[in-house]
PDB file of all heavy atoms in Angstrom:
ATOM      1  N   GLY X  30     -15.890  13.876  -6.346  1.00  0.00           N
ATOM      2  CA  GLY X  30     -16.669  13.034  -7.256  1.00  0.00           C
ATOM      3  C   GLY X  30     -15.967  12.848  -8.590  1.00  0.00           C
ATOM      4  O   GLY X  30     -15.052  13.603  -8.958  1.00  0.00           O
ATOM      5  N   ALA X  31     -16.417  11.835  -9.334  1.00  0.00           N
ATOM      6  CA  ALA X  31     -15.717  11.426 -10.563  1.00  0.00           C
ATOM      7  C   ALA X  31     -16.490  11.721 -11.847  1.00  0.00           C
ATOM      8  O   ALA X  31     -15.981  11.436 -12.937  1.00  0.00           O
ATOM      9  CB  ALA X  31     -15.433   9.924 -10.503  1.00  0.00           C
ATOM     10  N   TRP X  32     -17.679  12.292 -11.724  1.00  0.00           N
ATOM     11  CA  TRP X  32     -18.642  12.437 -12.826  1.00  0.00           C
ATOM     12  C   TRP X  32     -18.045  12.481 -14.248  1.00  0.00           C
ATOM     13  O   TRP X  32     -18.095  11.500 -14.968  1.00  0.00           O
ATOM     14  CB  TRP X  32     -19.521  13.654 -12.555  1.00  0.00           C
ATOM     15  CG  TRP X  32     -20.529  13.982 -13.609  1.00  0.00           C
ATOM     16  CD1 TRP X  32     -21.227  13.107 -14.407  1.00  0.00           C
ATOM     17  CD2 TRP X  32     -20.985  15.291 -13.976  1.00  0.00           C
ATOM     18  NE1 TRP X  32     -22.083  13.785 -15.231  1.00  0.00           N
ATOM     19  CE2 TRP X  32     -21.954  15.126 -14.999  1.00  0.00           C
ATOM     20  CE3 TRP X  32     -20.686  16.575 -13.548  1.00  0.00           C
ATOM     21  CZ2 TRP X  32     -22.619  16.205 -15.589  1.00  0.00           C
ATOM     22  CZ3 TRP X  32     -21.347  17.653 -14.127  1.00  0.00           C
ATOM     23  CH2 TRP X  32     -22.297  17.457 -15.137  1.00  0.00           C
ATOM     24  N   TYR X  38     -12.526  12.746 -19.105  1.00  0.00           N
ATOM     25  CA  TYR X  38     -11.548  13.563 -19.826  1.00  0.00           C
ATOM     26  C   TYR X  38     -10.222  13.751 -19.090  1.00  0.00           C
ATOM     27  O   TYR X  38      -9.315  14.395 -19.609  1.00  0.00           O
ATOM     28  CB  TYR X  38     -12.151  14.917 -20.233  1.00  0.00           C
ATOM     29  CG  TYR X  38     -12.455  15.899 -19.113  1.00  0.00           C
ATOM     30  CD1 TYR X  38     -11.488  16.767 -18.621  1.00  0.00           C
ATOM     31  CD2 TYR X  38     -13.734  15.986 -18.570  1.00  0.00           C
ATOM     32  CE1 TYR X  38     -11.778  17.682 -17.619  1.00  0.00           C
ATOM     33  CE2 TYR X  38     -14.036  16.887 -17.575  1.00  0.00           C
ATOM     34  CZ  TYR X  38     -13.052  17.733 -17.098  1.00  0.00           C
ATOM     35  OH  TYR X  38     -13.345  18.631 -16.109  1.00  0.00           O
ATOM     36  N   ASP X  60     -17.221   9.847  -4.631  1.00  0.00           N
ATOM     37  CA  ASP X  60     -18.583   9.639  -5.144  1.00  0.00           C
ATOM     38  C   ASP X  60     -18.580   9.202  -6.614  1.00  0.00           C
ATOM     39  O   ASP X  60     -17.927   9.833  -7.451  1.00  0.00           O
ATOM     40  CB  ASP X  60     -19.363  10.962  -5.010  1.00  0.00           C
ATOM     41  CG  ASP X  60     -20.802  10.823  -5.468  1.00  0.00           C
ATOM     42  OD1 ASP X  60     -21.607  10.253  -4.711  1.00  0.00           O
ATOM     43  OD2 ASP X  60     -21.121  11.277  -6.588  1.00  0.00           O
ATOM     44  N   SER X 164     -31.052  11.130  -4.511  1.00  0.00           N
ATOM     45  CA  SER X 164     -30.433  12.224  -5.246  1.00  0.00           C
ATOM     46  C   SER X 164     -31.462  12.857  -6.171  1.00  0.00           C
ATOM     47  O   SER X 164     -32.289  12.147  -6.760  1.00  0.00           O
ATOM     48  CB  SER X 164     -29.245  11.703  -6.055  1.00  0.00           C
ATOM     49  OG  SER X 164     -28.591  12.777  -6.692  1.00  0.00           O
ATOM     50  N   ASN X 165     -31.387  14.167  -6.287  1.00  0.00           N
ATOM     51  CA  ASN X 165     -32.267  14.930  -7.187  1.00  0.00           C
ATOM     52  C   ASN X 165     -33.740  14.785  -6.821  1.00  0.00           C
ATOM     53  O   ASN X 165     -34.614  14.895  -7.695  1.00  0.00           O
ATOM     54  CB  ASN X 165     -32.043  14.486  -8.649  1.00  0.00           C
ATOM     55  CG  ASN X 165     -30.632  14.756  -9.114  1.00  0.00           C
ATOM     56  OD1 ASN X 165     -30.159  15.890  -9.029  1.00  0.00           O
ATOM     57  ND2 ASN X 165     -29.930  13.735  -9.569  1.00  0.00           N
ATOM     58  N   GLN X 190     -28.409  13.934  -2.088  1.00  0.00           N
ATOM     59  CA  GLN X 190     -27.377  14.538  -2.944  1.00  0.00           C
ATOM     60  C   GLN X 190     -28.091  15.450  -3.931  1.00  0.00           C
ATOM     61  O   GLN X 190     -28.872  14.998  -4.770  1.00  0.00           O
ATOM     62  CB  GLN X 190     -26.570  13.458  -3.673  1.00  0.00           C
ATOM     63  CG  GLN X 190     -25.415  14.071  -4.433  1.00  0.00           C
ATOM     64  CD  GLN X 190     -24.427  13.067  -5.016  1.00  0.00           C
ATOM     65  OE1 GLN X 190     -24.080  13.153  -6.188  1.00  0.00           O
ATOM     66  NE2 GLN X 190     -23.954  12.138  -4.204  1.00  0.00           N
ATOM     67  N   LEU X 221     -19.216  24.264  -7.898  1.00  0.00           N
ATOM     68  CA  LEU X 221     -18.506  25.323  -8.609  1.00  0.00           C
ATOM     69  C   LEU X 221     -19.107  25.547  -9.994  1.00  0.00           C
ATOM     70  O   LEU X 221     -18.464  26.156 -10.854  1.00  0.00           O
ATOM     71  CB  LEU X 221     -17.009  24.965  -8.710  1.00  0.00           C
ATOM     72  CG  LEU X 221     -16.322  24.698  -7.360  1.00  0.00           C
ATOM     73  CD1 LEU X 221     -14.880  24.252  -7.557  1.00  0.00           C
ATOM     74  CD2 LEU X 221     -16.384  25.945  -6.470  1.00  0.00           C
ATOM     75  N   GLN X 223     -19.466  23.590 -12.392  1.00  0.00           N
ATOM     76  CA  GLN X 223     -18.552  22.943 -13.354  1.00  0.00           C
ATOM     77  C   GLN X 223     -17.308  23.783 -13.653  1.00  0.00           C
ATOM     78  O   GLN X 223     -16.678  23.600 -14.698  1.00  0.00           O
ATOM     79  CB  GLN X 223     -19.253  22.620 -14.672  1.00  0.00           C
ATOM     80  CG  GLN X 223     -20.408  21.628 -14.560  1.00  0.00           C
ATOM     81  CD  GLN X 223     -20.761  21.042 -15.916  1.00  0.00           C
ATOM     82  OE1 GLN X 223     -19.972  20.330 -16.516  1.00  0.00           O
ATOM     83  NE2 GLN X 223     -21.953  21.357 -16.395  1.00  0.00           N
ATOM     84  N   LYS X 229     -11.368  30.670 -13.838  1.00  0.00           N
ATOM     85  CA  LYS X 229     -10.907  30.281 -15.170  1.00  0.00           C
ATOM     86  C   LYS X 229     -11.728  30.798 -16.344  1.00  0.00           C
ATOM     87  O   LYS X 229     -11.241  30.838 -17.464  1.00  0.00           O
ATOM     88  CB  LYS X 229     -10.740  28.769 -15.254  1.00  0.00           C
ATOM     89  CG  LYS X 229     -12.002  28.008 -15.233  1.00  0.00           C
ATOM     90  CD  LYS X 229     -11.804  26.501 -15.485  1.00  0.00           C
ATOM     91  CE  LYS X 229     -10.387  26.003 -15.348  1.00  0.00           C
ATOM     92  NZ  LYS X 229     -10.327  24.647 -14.811  1.00  0.00           N
ATOM     93  N   ARG X 240     -12.688  22.118 -18.771  1.00  0.00           N
ATOM     94  CA  ARG X 240     -13.756  21.165 -19.096  1.00  0.00           C
ATOM     95  C   ARG X 240     -14.496  21.581 -20.356  1.00  0.00           C
ATOM     96  O   ARG X 240     -14.802  20.767 -21.212  1.00  0.00           O
ATOM     97  CB  ARG X 240     -14.732  21.051 -17.923  1.00  0.00           C
ATOM     98  CG  ARG X 240     -15.888  20.113 -18.205  1.00  0.00           C
ATOM     99  CD  ARG X 240     -16.821  19.918 -17.023  1.00  0.00           C
ATOM    100  NE  ARG X 240     -16.146  19.327 -15.893  1.00  0.00           N
ATOM    101  CZ  ARG X 240     -16.748  18.952 -14.758  1.00  0.00           C
ATOM    102  NH1 ARG X 240     -18.040  19.119 -14.629  1.00  0.00           N
ATOM    103  NH2 ARG X 240     -16.066  18.431 -13.760  1.00  0.00           N
ATOM    104  N   GLY X 296     -15.580  18.472  -8.008  1.00  0.00           N
ATOM    105  CA  GLY X 296     -14.841  17.735  -9.021  1.00  0.00           C
ATOM    106  C   GLY X 296     -13.508  18.441  -9.183  1.00  0.00           C
ATOM    107  O   GLY X 296     -13.375  19.620  -8.819  1.00  0.00           O
ATOM    108  N   SER X 298      -9.849  18.459 -11.931  1.00  0.00           N
ATOM    109  CA  SER X 298      -9.125  17.832 -13.044  1.00  0.00           C
ATOM    110  C   SER X 298      -7.639  17.713 -12.747  1.00  0.00           C
ATOM    111  O   SER X 298      -6.903  17.167 -13.559  1.00  0.00           O
ATOM    112  CB  SER X 298      -9.339  18.625 -14.330  1.00  0.00           C
ATOM    113  OG  SER X 298      -8.757  19.913 -14.204  1.00  0.00           O
ATOM    114  N   GLN X 302      -5.958  21.718  -7.802  1.00  0.00           N
ATOM    115  CA  GLN X 302      -7.303  22.264  -7.534  1.00  0.00           C
ATOM    116  C   GLN X 302      -7.843  21.735  -6.210  1.00  0.00           C
ATOM    117  O   GLN X 302      -8.501  22.457  -5.449  1.00  0.00           O
ATOM    118  CB  GLN X 302      -8.270  21.882  -8.667  1.00  0.00           C
ATOM    119  CG  GLN X 302      -7.933  22.542 -10.000  1.00  0.00           C
ATOM    120  CD  GLN X 302      -8.809  22.040 -11.142  1.00  0.00           C
ATOM    121  OE1 GLN X 302      -9.541  21.066 -11.011  1.00  0.00           O
ATOM    122  NE2 GLN X 302      -8.713  22.700 -12.285  1.00  0.00           N
ATOM    123  N   ASN X 306      -8.892  23.965  -3.055  1.00  0.00           N
ATOM    124  CA  ASN X 306     -10.269  23.918  -2.561  1.00  0.00           C
ATOM    125  C   ASN X 306     -10.336  23.515  -1.087  1.00  0.00           C
ATOM    126  O   ASN X 306     -11.163  24.043  -0.333  1.00  0.00           O
ATOM    127  CB  ASN X 306     -11.109  22.980  -3.444  1.00  0.00           C
ATOM    128  CG  ASN X 306     -11.213  23.503  -4.877  1.00  0.00           C
ATOM    129  OD1 ASN X 306     -10.819  24.638  -5.158  1.00  0.00           O
ATOM    130  ND2 ASN X 306     -11.713  22.696  -5.777  1.00  0.00           N
TER     131      ASN X 306
HETATM  132  N1  NAP Q   1     -26.314  13.344  -8.247  1.00  0.00           N
HETATM  133  C1  NAP Q   1     -26.233  13.896  -9.430  1.00  0.00           C
HETATM  134  O1  NAP Q   1     -27.187  13.884 -10.237  1.00  0.00           O
HETATM  135  C2  NAP Q   1     -24.948  14.569  -9.826  1.00  0.00           C
HETATM  136  C3  NAP Q   1     -24.856  15.299 -11.031  1.00  0.00           C
HETATM  137  C4  NAP Q   1     -23.646  15.898 -11.352  1.00  0.00           C
HETATM  138  C5  NAP Q   1     -22.546  15.779 -10.499  1.00  0.00           C
HETATM  139  N2  NAP Q   1     -22.673  15.063  -9.339  1.00  0.00           N
HETATM  140  C6  NAP Q   1     -21.522  14.880  -8.423  1.00  0.00           C
HETATM  141  O2  NAP Q   1     -20.878  16.120  -8.212  1.00  0.00           O
HETATM  142  C7  NAP Q   1     -19.475  15.970  -8.462  1.00  0.00           C
HETATM  143  C8  NAP Q   1     -18.874  17.277  -8.846  1.00  0.00           C
HETATM  144  O3  NAP Q   1     -19.392  17.722 -10.103  1.00  0.00           O
HETATM  145  P1  NAP Q   1     -18.521  18.743 -10.964  1.00  0.00           P
HETATM  146  O4  NAP Q   1     -17.227  18.100 -11.297  1.00  0.00           O
HETATM  147  O5  NAP Q   1     -19.353  19.301 -12.038  1.00  0.00           O
HETATM  148  O6  NAP Q   1     -18.254  19.843  -9.824  1.00  0.00           O
HETATM  149  P2  NAP Q   1     -17.667  21.293  -9.731  1.00  0.00           P
HETATM  150  O7  NAP Q   1     -16.833  21.273  -8.487  1.00  0.00           O
HETATM  151  O8  NAP Q   1     -18.766  22.282  -9.840  1.00  0.00           O
HETATM  152  O9  NAP Q   1     -16.716  21.476 -11.001  1.00  0.00           O
HETATM  153  C9  NAP Q   1     -15.499  20.809 -11.063  1.00  0.00           C
HETATM  154  C10 NAP Q   1     -14.627  21.443 -12.117  1.00  0.00           C
HETATM  155  O10 NAP Q   1     -14.340  22.790 -11.767  1.00  0.00           O
HETATM  156  C11 NAP Q   1     -12.996  23.086 -12.050  1.00  0.00           C
HETATM  157  N3  NAP Q   1     -12.291  23.396 -10.794  1.00  0.00           N
HETATM  158  C12 NAP Q   1     -12.426  22.801  -9.592  1.00  0.00           C
HETATM  159  N4  NAP Q   1     -11.652  23.411  -8.674  1.00  0.00           N
HETATM  160  C13 NAP Q   1     -11.010  24.407  -9.338  1.00  0.00           C
HETATM  161  C14 NAP Q   1     -10.088  25.380  -8.933  1.00  0.00           C
HETATM  162  N5  NAP Q   1      -9.669  25.480  -7.680  1.00  0.00           N
HETATM  163  N6  NAP Q   1      -9.635  26.247  -9.870  1.00  0.00           N
HETATM  164  C15 NAP Q   1     -10.039  26.188 -11.162  1.00  0.00           C
HETATM  165  N7  NAP Q   1     -10.911  25.271 -11.604  1.00  0.00           N
HETATM  166  C16 NAP Q   1     -11.404  24.394 -10.689  1.00  0.00           C
HETATM  167  C17 NAP Q   1     -12.414  21.878 -12.762  1.00  0.00           C
HETATM  168  O11 NAP Q   1     -12.672  22.049 -14.127  1.00  0.00           O
HETATM  169  P3  NAP Q   1     -11.604  21.809 -15.279  1.00  0.00           P
HETATM  170  O12 NAP Q   1     -11.812  20.413 -15.649  1.00  0.00           O
HETATM  171  O13 NAP Q   1     -12.032  22.806 -16.315  1.00  0.00           O
HETATM  172  O14 NAP Q   1     -10.232  22.051 -14.719  1.00  0.00           O
HETATM  173  C18 NAP Q   1     -13.265  20.766 -12.220  1.00  0.00           C
HETATM  174  O15 NAP Q   1     -13.298  19.638 -13.028  1.00  0.00           O
HETATM  175  C19 NAP Q   1     -19.451  14.890  -9.541  1.00  0.00           C
HETATM  176  O16 NAP Q   1     -18.188  14.293  -9.687  1.00  0.00           O
HETATM  177  C20 NAP Q   1     -20.471  13.928  -9.009  1.00  0.00           C
HETATM  178  O17 NAP Q   1     -19.907  13.142  -7.986  1.00  0.00           O
HETATM  179  C21 NAP Q   1     -23.841  14.473  -8.989  1.00  0.00           C
END
Side-chain angles (χ1 to χ4, degrees):
W32 178 34
Y38 69 86
D60 182 77
S164 184
N165 298 305
Q190 186 171 131
L221 304 176
Q223 297 198 65
K229 70 173 15 146
R240 178 176 298 185
S298 65
Q302 293 174 349
N306 296 350

